[in-house]
Amino acid sequence: MGGLADAVGRLPSESTQQAVGYPSLFLLVTLGALVPVVPTGAVVSSAAVVAFHQTDPLALMYVFLVSSAAAFLGDVTLYWLGQRGVRSRNGSRWLAELRARAAPERLEQAQQKLTDHGVAVLVLSRLVPAGRIPVMLACLLARMPLRAFVRGDVPACLAWAATYQLIGILGGSLFDEAWKGVLLAVALTVVISGAPAVWRRLRQGRPHRPGSAGGHA
């Protein structure tokens, strides 16, 4: 622990952290919106923890603005690429990947919610783990114009950035050392992101009791 404390004590100055951190945050969140290999929620929460422990009173606001702008840019870019595939007779690699990442039952649910609630469903899709891609694909298949998608995606990205930043603020407020808050924030985002998938697997693997599917004669 002493070595870790010494390493933390040798961290760059706040101005250096910000000069490197904000562009890195923007690139990681944008990349994560395009290709789901980056846990963007954990990235935002970790950045919020670091900002919470900085002396700059605007640090948290910068994290919020950078995160929401990056998420919006990634979403709009991915939607635009998907639109090209919808309009093309041969489709596109991006549209094919969106289809591959959206389970048929999730896509059907997203299409029904889109029919019932319109672009407002985009806000919920950003907050529900693994909900963004099925809803985006439903919007593409419904031929929603880019302008309409943008209207729904702006509040969705703002709500998403605020939610994960609050998780980071929670982690940062519980510990004096930033790295401990980062660990807690990452753990919370992993649990939040993975809990729905674990729950679905448990339900699918649960054995059916005799007679539970139908009534008794």
Side-chain angles (χ1 to χ4, degrees):
M1 295 298 290
L4 181 59
D6 292 340
V8 172
R10 293 193 298 269
L11 287 176
S13 63
E14 284 190 15
S15 59
T16 303
Q17 291 180 37
Q18 293 173 354
V20 175
Y22 294 139
S24 300
L25 174 63
F26 186 87
L27 290 174
L28 287 173
V29 174
T30 303
L31 176 63
L34 289 170
V35 184
V37 295
V38 178
T40 52
V43 171
V44 174
S45 297
S46 300
V49 172
V50 176
F52 181 83
H53 285 278
Q54 292 180 344
T55 58
D56 185 353
L58 299 179
L60 285 170
M61 185 186 73
Y62 293 151
V63 170
F64 172 73
L65 293 177
V66 170
S67 301
S68 54
F72 175 75
L73 176 62
D75 281 357
V76 171
T77 302
L78 185 59
Y79 192 78
W80 177 76
L81 291 170
Q83 276 189 320
R84 295 182 62 186
V86 170
R87 290 193 294 263
S88 173
R89 287 187 300 177
N90 297 324
S92 72
R93 179 175 64 87
W94 290 98
L95 182 61
E97 289 188 2
L98 286 174
R99 288 182 179 274
R101 282 149 47 185
E105 63 275 10
R106 299 294 298 275
L107 175 58
E108 184 178 351
Q109 294 173 2
Q111 289 174 319
Q112 184 60 50
K113 291 178 181 178
L114 180 63
T115 301
D116 296 339
H117 305 290
V119 295
V121 74
L122 286 169
V123 177
L124 184 61
S125 74
R126 259 279 177 190
L127 299 178
V128 174
R132 183 176 68 100
I133 295 303
V135 170
M136 183 180 291
L137 182 57
C139 293
L140 286 169
L141 297 179
R143 304 285 182 134
M144 177 183 291
L146 181 60
R147 183 179 301 179
F149 178 83
V150 165
R151 286 201 304 268
D153 198 54
V154 168
C157 291
L158 292 174
W160 173 83
T163 299
Y164 281 98
Q165 182 161 343
L166 286 174
I167 294 175
I169 292 173
L170 173 63
S173 65
L174 293 177
F175 300 100
D176 294 331
E177 297 88 353
W179 66 269
K180 293 182 179 180
V182 169
L183 289 180
L184 176 61
V186 170
L188 287 175
T189 54
V190 168
V191 170
I192 292 172
S193 301
V198 172
W199 175 247
R200 285 196 300 271
R201 290 181 181 179
L202 289 176
R203 292 188 61 185
Q204 292 173 357
R206 185 181 302 170
H208 295 284
R209 296 179 180 179
S212 61
H216 297 284

